[in-house]
């Protein structure tokens, strides 16, 4: 194991340590820091750890305490170039591997993730403040499953049958890797989104340079170290940095595809930059998922699911069940039930066994969520929460707000926090119109016992995923991705794998 992750494992176990090879000489801990020196993370390029060429670093903060526990490189253009050149060199051989060889590598990667699950859980909980127990049960198993799915999918890519579509000429379709893929992941699910990005790319024969969020790099770097035991050097690289690092990655000549999970603002910027060099773009952006509850729905089940899927990960999920549209006959009872259940939900640090969710990721996000609630219009009714919890870390209470109107800020804009809003609709047409009346189109759910209404509503909802009488389950075999300002392209499933391939037509004259 590298000295970098010996240091990480000690830090996430609550032991402050310094491993001298990891500490950039240019970094000096601020006087107000609780620890005298911070563990230094490093980029992972071409199979080994390396510091940023400039030596510049930024602090990595534990959101459950608000205190820095590590530093990470702020990679510049030289670091981006080195990582991309390593990936380009590795692509020349990785592209020649057979699907069976890539499949075996990903299967071994999945096994290694399970073997290092404790380390990954500790790193991710320190990264994000998520409850340790939920991270262990809800995130590590899907990581391994998604790798195993793409390991299998790599061997079953399909295309049009070879044949003579023109007399004396045989045509066939080749699905080929695109090349080097530049990928950017968010801070809400650092491990999960990394796997969603690199698993299909690697399965298809591409190589990757991935930039995690500057607030949550630790678990992604640990994934890179684990990958080094099963993948050739340069196939999977991780560089840390800020927005300027991401811009340099997208603008560079080498990557032929750019994939990002992030905000609408970031997605638009990436698409504009990629357009200048005609790169492929894969975008998974924001969401504002409606939960449409008709009068004949199972109200108890709907209310509990809204709580579970609305407050999971502190509502920091683009598919979170935070925008409820309730029928006229159930709106009052559903609002009462959700508010009552919300009062029982606990937010606390990662080691608290009773916590359902942890802190918001950073002080800016805490301020954003609080700002939405503080600006609530006079006609809004705060039924639960609506305040910060404690004065240490970035915790916000489970919040329920009713009485809102369709054009209110909290309805139209993604809050990305533990705030559930409830609107009362008067008819099926109004429910559909309100559900679709936002700029996002990622996910939605409909709640009814009427099969015809369920299928009719699912057809009319302008969202990339629609659940019926449930909300938020994912499976590796089915695609995830949105419409409108939620982006384009699919994660998971064979559709996700196909997004990382290009189609070539090969025609041979057979008239000799």
């Amino acid at each position: 194991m590298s000295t970098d992750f010996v240091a990480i494992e000690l830090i996430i176990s609550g032991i402050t340590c310094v491993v001298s090879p990891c500490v950039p000489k240019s970094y000096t801990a601020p006087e107000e820091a609780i620890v005298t020196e911070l563990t230094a993370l490093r980029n992972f390029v071409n199979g080994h750890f390396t510091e940023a060429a400039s030596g510049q670093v930024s602090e990595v903060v534990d959101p459950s305490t608000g205190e820095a526990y590590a530093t990470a490189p702020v990679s510049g253009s030289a670091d981006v170039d080195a990582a991309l050149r390593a990936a380009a060199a590795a692509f020349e051989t990785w592209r020649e591997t057979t699907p069976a060889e890539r499949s075996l590598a990903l299967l071994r990667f999945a096994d290694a993730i399970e073997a290092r699950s404790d380390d990954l859980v500790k790193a991710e909980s320190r990264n994000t403040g998520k409850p340790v127990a939920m991270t262990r049960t809800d995130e590590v198993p899907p990581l391994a499953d998604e790798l195993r799915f793409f390991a299998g999918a790599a061997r079953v890519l399909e295309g049009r049958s070879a044949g003579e579509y023109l007399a004396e000429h045989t045509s066939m379709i080749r699905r080929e890797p695109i090349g080097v893929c530049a990928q950017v992941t968010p801070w809400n699910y650092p491990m999960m989104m990394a796997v969603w990005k690199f698993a299909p790319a690697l399965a298809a024969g591409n190589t990757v340079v991935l930039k995690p969020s500057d607030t949550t790099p630790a678990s992604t770097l640990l994934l890179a170290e684990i990958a080094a035991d099963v993948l050739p050097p340069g196939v999977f690289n991780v560089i840390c940095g800020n927005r300027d690092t991401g811009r340099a990655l997208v603008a560079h000549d080498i990557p032929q595809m750019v994939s990002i999970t992030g905000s609408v603002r970031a997605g638009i910027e990436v698409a504009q930059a990629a357009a200048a060099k005609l790169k492929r773009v894969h975008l998974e952006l924001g969401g504002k998922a409606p939960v449409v509850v008709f009068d004949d729905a199972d109200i108890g089940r709907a209310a509990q699911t809204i709580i579970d899927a609305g407050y999971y990960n502190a509502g920091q999920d683009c598919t979170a069940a935070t925008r409820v549209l309730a029928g006229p006959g159930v709106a009052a009872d559903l609002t009462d039930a959700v508010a009552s259940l919300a009062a029982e939900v606990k937010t606390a640090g990662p080691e608290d066994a009773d916590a359902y969710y942890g802190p918001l990721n950073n002080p800016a996000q805490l301020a954003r969520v609080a700002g939405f609630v503080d600006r609530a219009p006079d006609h809004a009714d705060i039924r639960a929460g609506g305040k910060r919890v404690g004065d240490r870390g970035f915790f916000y209470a489970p919040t329920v707000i009713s009485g809102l109107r369709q054009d209110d800020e909290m309805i139209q804009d993604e809050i990305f926090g533990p705030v559930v809003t409830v609107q009362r609709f008067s008819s099926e047409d109004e429910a559909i119109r309100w559900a679709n009346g936002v700029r996002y189109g990622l996910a939605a759910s409909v709640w009814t016992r009427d099969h015809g209404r369920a299928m009719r509503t699912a057809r009319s909802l302008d969202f990339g995923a629609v659940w019926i009488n449930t909300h938020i389950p994912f499976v590796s075999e089915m695609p995830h991705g949105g419409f409108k300002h939620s982006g384009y392209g699919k994660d998971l499933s064979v559709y996700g794998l196909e997004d990382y391939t290009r189609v070539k037509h090969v025609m041979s004259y057979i008239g000799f």
Side-chain angles (χ1 to χ4, degrees), residues 180 292 314:
V180 176
V292 183

Side-chain angles (χ1 to χ4, degrees), residues 1 14 72 74 127 138 168 275 277 282 344 414:
M1 185 186 299
V74 179
N127 253 346
D138 295 1
E168 299 184 328
K277 297 183 179 177
H282 185 285
E344 300 173 3
E414 185 175 32

Side-chain angles (χ1 to χ4, degrees), residues 355-376:
Y356 184 66
Y357 68 86
L360 296 168
N361 180 259
N362 54 71
Q365 188 61 22
L366 175 62
R368 173 181 171 83
V369 172
F372 273 100
V373 178
D374 293 345
R375 295 190 301 273

Side-chain angles (χ1 to χ4, degrees), residues 97-112:
T97 57
T98 65
E101 290 169 330
R102 297 195 295 273
S103 176
L104 181 59
L106 293 181
L107 290 172
R108 288 173 172 166
F109 196 174
D111 292 343

Side-chain angles (χ1 to χ4, degrees), residues 16-73:
T16 302
C17 69
V18 176
V19 181
S20 57
C22 305
V23 180
K25 295 179 180 178
S26 61
Y27 179 76
T28 302
E31 293 180 1
E32 67 272 20
I34 291 178
V35 294
T36 55
E37 293 188 77
L38 306 178
T39 297
L41 308 177
R42 297 194 290 175
N43 293 332
F44 195 87
V45 175
N46 207 26
H48 63 273
F49 287 101
T50 180
E51 295 174 10
S54 67
Q56 184 180 356
V57 299
S58 63
E59 289 186 342
V60 183
V61 173
D62 181 339
S64 65
T65 65
E67 298 162 3
Y69 72 95
T71 63

Side-chain angles (χ1 to χ4, degrees), residues 41-384:
L41 308 177
R42 297 194 290 175
N43 293 332
F44 195 87
V45 175
N46 207 26
H48 63 273
F49 287 101
T50 180
E51 295 174 10
S54 67
Q56 184 180 356
V57 299
S58 63
E59 289 186 342
V60 183
V61 173
D62 181 339
S64 65
T65 65
E67 298 162 3
Y69 72 95
T71 63
V74 179
S75 300
S77 57
D79 307 297
V80 169
D81 184 70
L84 288 169
R85 290 187 184 280
F91 178 67
E92 296 305 315
T93 52
W94 184 247
R95 70 183 300 179
E96 299 300 327
T97 57
T98 65
E101 290 169 330
R102 297 195 295 273
S103 176
L104 181 59
L106 293 181
L107 290 172
R108 288 173 172 166
F109 196 174
D111 292 343
I113 280 177
E114 289 178 334
R116 298 286 299 278
S117 62
D118 287 346
D119 299 333
L120 286 165
V121 168
K122 290 175 183 177
E124 188 73 340
S125 291
R126 194 67 186 269
N127 253 346
T128 62
K130 296 178 184 179
V132 169
M134 294 181 72
T135 304
R136 179 174 291 109
T137 58
D138 295 1
E139 297 209 28
V140 173
L143 297 185
D145 182 71
E146 286 148 14
L147 281 165
R148 291 182 177 124
F149 170 81
F150 284 112
R155 305 183 70 167
V156 294
L157 271 173
E158 298 177 351
R160 187 180 297 277
S161 172
E164 289 67 52
Y165 300 95
L166 178 66
E168 299 184 328
H169 294 77
T170 296
S171 288
M172 65 189 74
I173 295 294
R174 291 178 55 87
R175 277 200 174 269
E176 298 180 341
I178 295 169
V180 176
C181 297
Q183 301 181 325
V184 179
T185 53
W187 44 252
N188 57 333
Y189 293 103
M191 288 195 305
M192 187 76 70
M193 295 299 98
V195 171
W196 283 26
K197 289 278 182 284
F198 69 69
L202 300 181
N206 304 285
T207 55
V208 166
V209 176
L210 186 150
K211 190 196 87 66
S213 168
D214 56 349
T215 67
T216 56
S219 58
T220 307
L221 288 167
L222 182 50
L223 283 172
E225 187 200 33
I226 294 169
D229 290 334
V230 297
L231 297 173
V235 170
F236 178 43
N237 309 275
V238 176
I239 58 169
C240 302
N242 54 23
R243 290 181 181 178
D244 289 337
T245 308
R247 293 184 181 105
L249 185 62
V250 172
H252 199 284
D253 288 336
I254 287 179
Q256 295 301 300
M257 180 173 179
V258 179
S259 177
I260 177 175
T261 296
S263 67
V264 174
R265 176 206 55 76
I268 291 172
E269 185 175 330
V270 165
Q272 290 173 335
K277 297 183 179 177
L278 297 178
K279 300 177 188 291
R280 285 201 185 190
V281 179
H282 185 285
L283 303 175
E284 200 274 272
L285 309 177
K288 194 70 180 174
V291 183
V292 183
V293 184
F294 288 100
D295 286 348
D296 64 340
D298 182 333
I299 300 307
R301 178 178 169 83
Q304 187 60 61
T305 303
I306 290 164
I307 293 295
D308 294 343
Y311 297 134
Y312 188 82
N313 197 31
Q316 297 172 130
D317 189 311
C318 297
T319 63
T322 54
R323 182 165 67 105
V324 178
L325 305 175
V330 297
D333 289 343
L334 181 62
T335 304
D336 288 344
V338 171
S340 177
L341 289 170
E344 300 173 3
V345 174
K346 182 177 182 180
T347 178
E351 299 296 337
D352 192 319
D354 296 326
Y356 184 66
Y357 68 86
L360 296 168
N361 180 259
N362 54 71
Q365 188 61 22
L366 175 62
R368 173 181 171 83
V369 172
F372 273 100
V373 178
D374 293 345
R375 295 190 301 273
D378 292 340
H379 54 263
D381 183 8
I382 300 177
R383 299 290 303 275

